Amino acid sequence: MAFVLSLLMALVLVSYGPGRSLSCDLSQNHLLVGSQNLRLLGKMRRISPRFCLQDRKDFAFPQEMVEGGQLQEAQAISVLHEMLQQSFNLFHTERASAAWDTTLLEQFRTGLHQQLDHLDACLGQVTGEEDSALGRTGPTLAVKRYFQGIRVYLQEKEYSDCAWETVRLEIMRTFSLSASLQERLR
Protein backbone atom coordinates (compact mmCIF):
# COMPACT_ATOMS: atom_id res chain seq x y z
CA MET A 1 0.00 0.00 0.00
CA ALA A 2 2.93 2.34 0.71
CA PHE A 3 4.10 1.84 -2.87
CA VAL A 4 0.69 2.86 -4.24
CA LEU A 5 0.57 5.91 -1.98
CA SER A 6 4.05 6.98 -3.08
CA LEU A 7 2.97 6.65 -6.71
CA LEU A 8 -0.12 8.71 -5.96
CA MET A 9 2.03 11.41 -4.39
CA ALA A 10 4.34 11.34 -7.41
CA LEU A 11 1.32 11.82 -9.67
CA VAL A 12 0.16 14.82 -7.66
CA LEU A 13 3.65 16.35 -7.59
CA VAL A 14 4.14 15.77 -11.30
CA SER A 15 0.91 17.58 -11.99
CA TYR A 16 2.38 20.76 -10.52
CA GLY A 17 5.54 20.68 -12.64
CA PRO A 18 6.37 23.47 -15.12
CA GLY A 19 6.80 21.56 -18.38
CA ARG A 20 4.35 21.24 -21.23
CA SER A 21 5.24 19.13 -24.19
CA LEU A 22 2.08 18.53 -26.23
CA SER A 23 -0.54 20.82 -27.69
CA CYS A 24 -3.48 19.36 -25.76
CA ASP A 25 -3.03 20.61 -22.22
CA LEU A 26 -4.70 18.66 -19.48
CA SER A 27 -6.18 21.13 -17.07
CA GLN A 28 -5.17 21.20 -13.44
CA ASN A 29 -8.75 20.17 -12.68
CA HIS A 30 -8.34 17.03 -14.83
CA LEU A 31 -5.26 16.04 -12.86
CA LEU A 32 -6.89 16.80 -9.52
CA VAL A 33 -9.91 14.68 -10.45
CA GLY A 34 -7.47 11.88 -11.31
CA SER A 35 -5.89 12.19 -7.88
CA GLN A 36 -9.33 12.19 -6.28
CA ASN A 37 -10.20 9.04 -8.22
CA LEU A 38 -7.12 7.31 -6.83
CA ARG A 39 -8.07 8.37 -3.31
CA LEU A 40 -11.64 7.12 -3.85
CA LEU A 41 -10.33 3.76 -5.03
CA GLY A 42 -8.27 3.62 -1.85
CA LYS A 43 -11.35 4.36 0.27
CA MET A 44 -13.36 1.70 -1.54
CA ARG A 45 -11.32 -1.07 0.07
CA ARG A 46 -13.68 -3.43 1.87
CA ILE A 47 -11.37 -6.27 2.83
CA SER A 48 -7.68 -6.56 3.45
CA PRO A 49 -5.66 -7.67 0.43
CA ARG A 50 -3.91 -10.09 2.83
CA PHE A 51 -7.06 -12.22 2.83
CA CYS A 52 -6.95 -12.41 -0.96
CA LEU A 53 -3.40 -13.55 -1.62
CA GLN A 54 -4.68 -16.70 -3.34
CA ASP A 55 -6.55 -14.47 -5.82
CA ARG A 56 -3.59 -12.33 -6.87
CA LYS A 57 -2.96 -12.18 -10.58
CA ASP A 58 -0.59 -10.46 -12.93
CA PHE A 59 -2.91 -8.87 -15.47
CA ALA A 60 0.10 -7.92 -17.62
CA PHE A 61 -0.55 -4.21 -18.00
CA PRO A 62 1.03 -3.29 -21.39
CA GLN A 63 3.36 -0.73 -19.84
CA GLU A 64 5.97 -0.94 -22.59
CA MET A 65 3.24 -0.29 -25.17
CA VAL A 66 1.90 2.78 -23.39
CA GLU A 67 5.11 4.38 -22.13
CA GLY A 68 4.71 8.12 -22.62
CA GLY A 69 7.92 8.70 -24.58
CA GLN A 70 7.06 6.16 -27.26
CA LEU A 71 3.65 7.50 -28.21
CA GLN A 72 2.61 10.37 -30.39
CA GLU A 73 0.22 12.85 -28.86
CA ALA A 74 -2.95 11.42 -30.41
CA GLN A 75 -1.94 7.91 -29.36
CA ALA A 76 -1.21 9.03 -25.78
CA ILE A 77 -4.62 10.71 -25.50
CA SER A 78 -6.30 7.68 -27.05
CA VAL A 79 -4.59 5.32 -24.58
CA LEU A 80 -5.55 7.47 -21.58
CA HIS A 81 -9.09 7.77 -22.86
CA GLU A 82 -9.32 4.00 -23.33
CA MET A 83 -8.00 3.34 -19.82
CA LEU A 84 -10.58 5.67 -18.32
CA GLN A 85 -13.41 4.38 -20.53
CA GLN A 86 -12.66 0.74 -19.75
CA SER A 87 -12.42 1.55 -16.02
CA PHE A 88 -15.73 3.41 -16.20
CA ASN A 89 -17.35 0.44 -17.98
CA LEU A 90 -15.91 -2.02 -15.46
CA PHE A 91 -17.23 -0.08 -12.46
CA HIS A 92 -20.52 0.82 -14.12
CA THR A 93 -22.05 -2.63 -13.96
CA GLU A 94 -24.69 -4.13 -11.74
CA ARG A 95 -22.07 -6.46 -10.25
CA ALA A 96 -19.82 -3.51 -9.38
CA SER A 97 -22.75 -1.74 -7.74
CA ALA A 98 -23.31 -4.79 -5.55
CA ALA A 99 -19.63 -4.98 -4.58
CA TRP A 100 -18.88 -1.41 -3.50
CA ASP A 101 -20.20 1.37 -1.30
CA THR A 102 -22.64 3.12 -3.64
CA THR A 103 -21.68 6.66 -2.57
CA LEU A 104 -17.97 6.12 -3.18
CA LEU A 105 -18.68 4.24 -6.39
CA GLU A 106 -20.86 7.04 -7.73
CA GLN A 107 -18.22 9.65 -6.88
CA PHE A 108 -15.61 7.53 -8.66
CA ARG A 109 -17.82 7.14 -11.75
CA THR A 110 -18.49 10.87 -11.81
CA GLY A 111 -14.77 11.62 -11.66
CA LEU A 112 -14.05 9.20 -14.49
CA HIS A 113 -16.83 10.78 -16.54
CA GLN A 114 -15.37 14.26 -16.01
CA GLN A 115 -11.94 13.08 -17.14
CA LEU A 116 -13.43 11.32 -20.17
CA ASP A 117 -15.28 14.47 -21.22
CA HIS A 118 -12.06 16.47 -21.13
CA LEU A 119 -10.13 13.82 -23.05
CA ASP A 120 -12.91 13.64 -25.66
CA ALA A 121 -12.39 17.32 -26.37
CA CYS A 122 -8.62 16.85 -26.38
CA LEU A 123 -8.79 13.87 -28.72
CA GLY A 124 -10.95 15.84 -31.13
CA GLN A 125 -8.39 18.68 -31.12
CA VAL A 126 -5.43 16.52 -32.06
CA THR A 127 -6.92 13.87 -34.32
CA GLY A 128 -9.82 15.31 -36.25
CA GLU A 129 -11.94 12.96 -38.32
CA GLU A 130 -9.11 11.13 -40.10
CA ASP A 131 -7.76 9.18 -37.11
CA SER A 132 -10.90 7.39 -35.99
CA ALA A 133 -8.98 4.09 -36.26
CA LEU A 134 -6.80 4.94 -33.23
CA GLY A 135 -8.88 2.75 -30.96
CA ARG A 136 -8.35 -0.33 -33.11
CA THR A 137 -4.56 -0.29 -33.32
CA GLY A 138 -1.37 -0.59 -31.30
CA PRO A 139 -1.29 0.64 -27.73
CA THR A 140 -5.01 1.37 -27.48
CA LEU A 141 -5.83 -2.17 -28.59
CA ALA A 142 -3.35 -3.51 -25.99
CA VAL A 143 -5.24 -1.57 -23.29
CA LYS A 144 -8.56 -3.04 -24.49
CA ARG A 145 -7.11 -6.55 -24.32
CA TYR A 146 -5.74 -5.86 -20.83
CA PHE A 147 -9.18 -4.85 -19.58
CA GLN A 148 -10.76 -7.84 -21.30
CA GLY A 149 -8.43 -10.01 -19.21
CA ILE A 150 -9.68 -8.27 -16.08
CA ARG A 151 -13.31 -8.91 -17.04
CA VAL A 152 -12.56 -12.59 -17.73
CA TYR A 153 -10.81 -12.85 -14.35
CA LEU A 154 -13.86 -11.41 -12.55
CA GLN A 155 -16.13 -13.90 -14.33
CA GLU A 156 -13.85 -16.83 -13.50
CA LYS A 157 -13.78 -15.77 -9.84
CA GLU A 158 -17.56 -15.29 -9.92
CA TYR A 159 -17.22 -11.63 -8.92
CA SER A 160 -16.10 -12.57 -5.41
CA ASP A 161 -15.10 -9.92 -2.89
CA CYS A 162 -11.45 -10.96 -3.26
CA ALA A 163 -11.67 -10.75 -7.04
CA TRP A 164 -13.04 -7.21 -6.82
CA GLU A 165 -10.36 -6.28 -4.28
CA THR A 166 -7.67 -7.62 -6.61
CA VAL A 167 -9.15 -5.62 -9.49
CA ARG A 168 -9.44 -2.46 -7.36
CA LEU A 169 -5.73 -2.67 -6.53
CA GLU A 170 -4.88 -3.35 -10.17
CA ILE A 171 -6.83 -0.30 -11.37
CA MET A 172 -5.06 1.83 -8.77
CA ARG A 173 -1.73 0.54 -10.12
CA THR A 174 -2.82 1.19 -13.70
CA PHE A 175 -3.82 4.76 -12.92
CA SER A 176 -0.50 5.31 -11.19
CA LEU A 177 1.40 3.94 -14.18
CA SER A 178 -0.45 6.35 -16.47
CA ALA A 179 1.22 9.31 -14.76
CA SER A 180 3.91 9.58 -17.44
CA LEU A 181 1.28 9.87 -20.15
CA GLN A 182 -0.59 12.52 -18.20
CA GLU A 183 2.63 14.44 -17.64
CA ARG A 184 3.23 14.57 -21.39
CA LEU A 185 -0.24 15.99 -21.92
CA ARG A 186 0.07 18.75 -19.35
Side-chain angles (χ1 to χ4, degrees):
M1 189 65 177
F3 174 72
V4 173
L5 289 176
S6 65
L7 283 174
L8 173 61
M9 288 306 296
L11 177 63
V12 171
L13 292 174
V14 161
S15 71
Y16 289 102
R20 294 185 189 270
S21 60
L22 299 175
S23 64
C24 182
D25 294 334
L26 291 181
S27 70
Q28 193 64 32
N29 185 50
H30 177 89
L31 297 170
L32 289 173
V33 170
S35 294
Q36 289 170 348
N37 283 340
L38 273 172
R39 279 193 298 279
L40 284 168
L41 278 171
K43 288 180 179 179
M44 287 168 64
R45 180 179 130 177
R46 291 181 35 201
I47 58 175
S48 173
R50 288 181 295 151
F51 297 123
C52 301
L53 294 178
Q54 75 281 1
D55 291 303
R56 287 189 310 180
K57 178 174 174 74
D58 179 4
F59 292 99
F61 179 72
Q63 186 171 356
E64 62 284 344
M65 291 276 303
V66 298
E67 295 259 315
Q70 298 174 8
L71 299 177
Q72 295 177 4
E73 179 179 17
Q75 287 175 312
I77 295 168
S78 179
V79 164
L80 278 174
H81 188 277
E82 191 64 34
M83 288 171 57
L84 293 170
Q85 185 64 58
Q86 292 288 336
S87 297
F88 182 83
N89 293 346
L90 189 64
F91 285 91
H92 205 276
T93 63
E94 188 175 316
R95 297 213 187 237
S97 295
W100 304 110
D101 174 278
T102 54
T103 302
L104 293 174
L105 182 62
E106 193 55 41
Q107 290 172 355
F108 179 62
R109 290 174 181 165
T110 299
L112 288 174
H113 192 268
Q114 289 171 353
Q115 288 186 294
L116 282 165
D117 282 348
H118 187 265
L119 282 177
D120 280 339
C122 241
L123 196 55
Q125 272 180 15
V126 297
T127 62
E129 298 291 321
E130 71 279 355
D131 277 334
S132 63
L134 273 175
R136 297 187 303 270
T137 60
T140 305
L141 184 57
V143 169
K144 286 181 182 181
R145 287 182 182 144
Y146 164 76
F147 275 93
Q148 179 59 30
I150 290 173
R151 283 189 292 280
V152 167
Y153 167 81
L154 282 168
Q155 286 175 329
E156 289 172 352
K157 295 290 186 172
E158 298 178 351
Y159 303 91
S160 70
D161 288 345
C162 277
W164 275 114
E165 177 60 20
T166 300
V167 167
R168 182 190 69 82
L169 289 170
E170 179 67 13
I171 299 302
M172 286 182 73
R173 187 178 79 81
T174 300
F175 283 4
S176 296
L177 291 172
S178 71
S180 64
L181 283 177
Q182 293 189 47
E183 173 58 20
R184 281 190 69 215
L185 297 171
R186 275 191 341 92

